[in-house]
């Protein structure tokens, strides 16, 4: 109401002053908008819900493109439109910036809870059709979505990083008439049931920093104790790490793996590498054994993040949340997607691979999979059919044009991206481009510019900008 009054007052003033264009302030990018969607686009539940989106109109001029993104598993926020590389692109190309929430995350909830029965509407088909419906409205009736005039039939570029990068790529593959092109940064499009490559990617980062061998030794030393069945030695070890002594050995191993990789997705710049600061620097202490260095590193991560015993239990206890179906639990929804879509269980390399390991051998499929039925019901099939996932959702990307794929060479998720350490995972990519960003971690190209960005990151942005210009024919 207040906003309306302000607008009329300003319009009135400019009218009285005799200027031609009324000076109407643009709605701030924090203004929430809501788009109505059916619970199920494919028939079984026609109830509706409201999908939240945010818009930044500042750079838009008639005829400009729409840069559509989704934060995927995170709630929408102004940072996704005001402060990414797309913001720079929009400024250069008169674009409209829109970010739209993903069903079951943030405030965009098709169902009143997160029970297994409710989550059955969380299918990739439904997720993509939500975004496609929005894109159709943006093209055909922009006035129904936006509070400033936007041209009909605008070209739409879909962008995203990590899981949202999957969505960008899938949207271009599935709806090429709606989506002109996609920038898919660190898109985790290839699924694996036993995803020990995640561990190995982390190892490559440690290797680049010179502490891989000692880190791996420390993990082995911890395993010797966790597997000893010596309760006293185990609780002594937990106390030395500062993790709860109430956790079982598997959950302790899971917690240590999560804490050690806390900073693995931070940007590497020409002046800083958080994995070096939070992990490898401790292993340069000449008087510390690998185990002592590991303990010092984990303790410092706990301290830096202000974690207490309760938050550590929350992070480590894999049984927490089984009976809690309340909305807003990102971890629960993400777990459901792993259980029913693509697995990607972040296990240690099985011993028959002979590979060095940077996480505990206790982290195997038996650690992760039982949660699927425990948390979501016996109807969930174990193991998840990753082969079908890949044939439906990886193979769909073969031969699709106008996708820009990027991945950092030190990205912990690299082996899920098409620029894997074993080479390009797609066999046919005419009209699409794959770039490996040397020395970078996760989604660095789509972040807002920083003074100390790596040159490789700057080059990847320039290459992407040139492709977008080509797709837009400008
Ligand atoms: C859009 O983003 C730009 C760049 O961050 C910012 O300056 C501007 O205030 C935003 N526009 C609105 C209307 O919030
Ligand atoms: C090096 O390790 C030793 C043994 O754990 C420890 O007492 C000492 O404080 C460490 N030094 C630094 C500078 O962290
Ligand atoms: C790390 O390994 C090197 C040998 O590769 C050794 O000289 C050094 O002392 C080790 N440091 C720690 C903290 O384990």
């Amino acid at each position: 109401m207040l906003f309306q009054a302000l607008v009329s007052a300003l319009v009135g003033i400019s009218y009285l002053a005799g200027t031609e264009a009324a000076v109407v302030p643009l709605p701030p990018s924090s203004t929430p908008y809501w788009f109505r969607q059916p619970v199920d686009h494919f028939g079984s539940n026609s109830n509706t819900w409201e999908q939240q989106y945010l818009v930044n109109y500042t750079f838009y001029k008639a005829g400009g493109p729409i840069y559509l993104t989704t934060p995927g598993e995170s709630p929408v926020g102004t940072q996704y439109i005001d402060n990414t590389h797309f913001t720079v692109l929009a400024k250069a190309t008169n674009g409209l910036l829109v970010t739209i929430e993903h069903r079951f995350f943030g405030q965009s909830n098709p169902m009143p809870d997160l029970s297994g029965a409710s989550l059955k509407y969380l299918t990739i088909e439904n997720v993509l059709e939500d975004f496609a419906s929005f894109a159709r409205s943006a093209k055909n009736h922009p006035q129904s979505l936006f509070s400033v005039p936007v041209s009909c039939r605008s070209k739409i570029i879909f962008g995203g990083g990590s899981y949202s990068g999957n969505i960008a790529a899938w949207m271009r593959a599935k709806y090429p008439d709606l989506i002109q092109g996609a920038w898919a940064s660190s898109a985790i499009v290839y699924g694996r049931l036993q995803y020990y490559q995640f561990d190995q990617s982390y190892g490559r980062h440690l290797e680049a920093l010179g502490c891989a061998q000692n880190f791996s030794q420390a993990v082995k030393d911890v395993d010797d104790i966790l597997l000893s069945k010596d309760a006293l030695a185990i609780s002594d070890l937990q106390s030395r790490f500062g993790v709860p002594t109430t956790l079982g050995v598997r959950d302790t191993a899971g917690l240590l793996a999560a804490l050690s990789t806390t900073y693995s997705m931070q940007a590497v710049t020409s002046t800083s590498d958080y994995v070096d600061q939070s992990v490898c620097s401790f292993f340069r202490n000449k008087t510390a054994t690998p185990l002592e260095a590991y303990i010092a590193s984990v303790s410092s991560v706990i301290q830096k993040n202000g974690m207490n015993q309760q938050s550590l239990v929350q992070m480590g206890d894999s049984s927490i949340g089984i009976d809690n179906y309340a909305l807003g639990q990102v971890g629960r929804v993400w777990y459901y997607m792993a259980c029913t879509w693509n697995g990607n269980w972040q296990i240690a390399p099985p011993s028959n691979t002979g590979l060095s390991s940077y996480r505990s051998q206790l982290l195997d499929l038996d650690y992760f999979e039982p949660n699927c039925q425990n948390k979501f019901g016996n109807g969930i099939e174990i193991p998840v059919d990753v082969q079908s996932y890949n044939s439906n959702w990886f193979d769909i990307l073969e031969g699709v044009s106008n996708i820009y794929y990027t991945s950092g060479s030190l990205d912990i998720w690299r082996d899920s991206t098409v620029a894997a350490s074993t080479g390009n995972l797609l066999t046919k990519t005419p009209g699409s481009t794959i770039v490996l960003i040397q020395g970078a971690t996760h989604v660095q190209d789509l972040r807002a510019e920083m003074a100390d960005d790596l040159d490789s990151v700057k080059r990847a942005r320039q290459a992407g900008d040139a492709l977008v210009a080509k797709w837009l024919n400008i």
Side-chain angles (χ1 to χ4, degrees):
M1 285 307 279
L2 190 62
F3 176 67
Q4 289 295 348
L6 186 66
V7 171
S8 337
L10 283 167
V11 171
I13 288 164
S14 76
Y15 176 73
L16 284 174
T19 56
E20 268 175 47
V23 186
V24 181
L26 292 170
S29 58
S30 55
T31 312
Y33 295 83
W34 303 92
F35 184 69
R36 183 157 299 168
Q37 298 277 13
V39 170
D40 188 356
H41 290 278
F42 307 96
S44 79
N45 186 333
S46 58
N47 291 342
T48 61
W49 57 286
E50 304 285 325
Q51 188 169 19
Q52 187 177 203
Y53 60 103
L54 304 177
V55 187
N56 182 320
Y57 299 102
T58 296
F59 309 113
Y60 183 69
K61 295 208 178 85
I66 297 175
Y67 293 99
L68 184 56
T69 62
T70 173
E73 69 276 25
S74 304
V76 291
T78 54
Q79 72 272 27
Y80 294 104
I81 41 181
D82 294 0
N83 205 22
T84 76
H85 181 63
F86 281 117
T87 315
V88 178
L89 257 175
K91 192 172 179 181
T93 58
N94 303 330
L96 185 73
L97 291 152
V98 181
T99 190
I100 178 165
E101 222 155 47
H102 183 294
R103 60 166 57 206
F104 287 104
F105 292 106
Q107 294 182 65
S108 298
N109 290 294
M111 300 295 283
D113 63 29
L114 300 178
S115 67
S118 294
L119 286 167
K120 75 168 189 262
Y121 298 108
L122 179 50
T123 61
I124 299 176
E125 287 84 352
N126 267 324
V127 168
L128 299 185
E129 190 55 35
D130 288 341
F131 298 125
S133 304
F134 184 86
R136 268 181 223 112
S137 288
K139 277 184 182 291
N140 299 331
H141 342 273
Q143 70 282 6
S144 69
L145 298 180
F146 305 119
S147 45
V148 309
V150 169
S151 308
C152 280
R153 289 176 294 283
S154 300
K155 286 183 178 164
I156 302 178
I157 303 294
F158 210 115
S162 198
Y163 166 56
S164 309
N166 294 29
I167 294 170
W170 288 335
M171 288 301 290
R172 169 64 188 166
K174 189 151 189 222
Y175 305 96
D177 297 340
L178 289 175
I179 305 301
Q180 193 72 19
W183 187 320
S185 172
S186 299
I188 53 172
V189 287
Y190 191 79
R192 286 185 185 79
L193 182 65
Q194 304 199 61
Y195 188 24
Y196 61 83
Q197 289 83 355
F198 185 85
D199 179 75
Q200 298 297 293
S201 293
Y202 188 53
R204 273 191 299 278
H205 196 164
L206 300 177
E207 186 81 56
L209 295 168
C211 81
Q213 224 185 333
N214 285 346
F215 186 86
S216 183
Q217 182 60 50
V219 168
K220 264 202 209 102
D221 295 343
V222 168
D223 267 3
D224 283 346
I225 298 170
L226 292 181
L227 291 163
S228 70
K229 299 201 164 74
D230 179 342
L232 212 61
I234 293 167
S235 66
D236 177 57
L237 182 75
Q238 290 167 321
S239 305
R240 288 176 71 194
F241 272 104
V243 301
T245 52
T246 50
L247 290 177
V249 287
R250 274 208 151 112
D251 284 342
T252 301
L255 178 59
L256 292 180
L259 289 169
S260 329
T261 51
T262 298
Y263 294 104
S264 60
M265 289 193 268
Q266 293 281 328
V268 171
T269 69
S270 59
T271 59
S272 78
D273 182 328
Y274 280 83
V275 171
D276 193 50
Q277 285 166 40
S278 65
V279 182
C280 285
S281 68
F282 292 92
F283 286 83
R284 282 189 206 111
N285 179 344
K286 292 273 178 261
T287 58
T289 63
L291 180 57
E292 284 166 349
Y294 189 22
I295 288 169
S297 149
V298 166
S299 312
S300 90
V301 170
I302 292 173
Q303 202 181 3
K304 248 187 243 159
N305 287 281
M307 300 186 77
N308 56 29
Q309 293 296 294
Q310 198 193 342
S311 57
L312 287 165
V313 168
Q314 290 280 345
M315 190 174 181
D317 186 343
S318 55
S319 69
I320 279 190
I322 289 176
D323 299 316
N324 186 350
Y325 297 172
L327 296 178
Q329 294 184 75
V330 177
R332 179 173 165 84
V333 184
W334 188 251
Y335 216 105
Y336 178 85
M337 289 155 72
C339 289
T340 58
W341 295 9
N342 52 12
N344 284 338
W345 302 119
Q346 292 157 16
I347 63 169
S351 50
N352 64 9
T353 62
L355 295 165
S356 297
S357 183
Y358 309 95
R359 59 186 50 218
S360 167
Q361 291 297 320
L362 286 160
L363 302 177
D364 56 12
L365 287 183
D366 286 344
Y367 174 63
F368 294 104
E369 280 191 325
N371 282 326
C372 292
Q373 294 188 337
N374 291 344
K375 283 185 195 248
F376 306 109
N378 293 331
I380 305 282
E381 301 229 9
I382 304 291
V384 51
D385 187 354
V386 180
Q387 212 175 336
S388 291
Y389 169 85
N390 282 332
S391 62
N392 289 328
W393 298 108
F394 183 76
D395 293 353
I396 193 179
L397 303 174
E398 291 283 7
V400 178
S401 65
N402 291 15
I403 302 181
Y404 181 44
Y405 297 100
T406 58
S407 176
S409 67
L410 300 181
D411 189 345
I412 195 167
W413 282 97
R414 176 167 170 197
D415 279 359
S416 299
T417 75
V418 303
S421 60
T422 49
N424 176 7
L425 298 185
L426 282 172
T427 57
K428 298 184 289 283
T429 47
S432 283
T433 303
I434 302 173
V435 163
L436 182 70
I437 310 175
Q438 285 301 335
T441 58
H442 205 53
V443 196
Q444 282 198 227
D445 49 329
L446 285 188
R447 292 171 200 247
E449 274 70 6
M450 291 185 293
D452 55 355
D453 276 326
L454 299 174
D455 287 340
S456 57
V457 171
K458 293 182 194 164
R459 283 196 300 273
R461 288 189 187 124
Q462 284 159 6
D465 294 356
L467 287 170
V468 170
K470 194 170 115 190
W471 301 336
L472 295 174
N473 216 352
I474 50 178

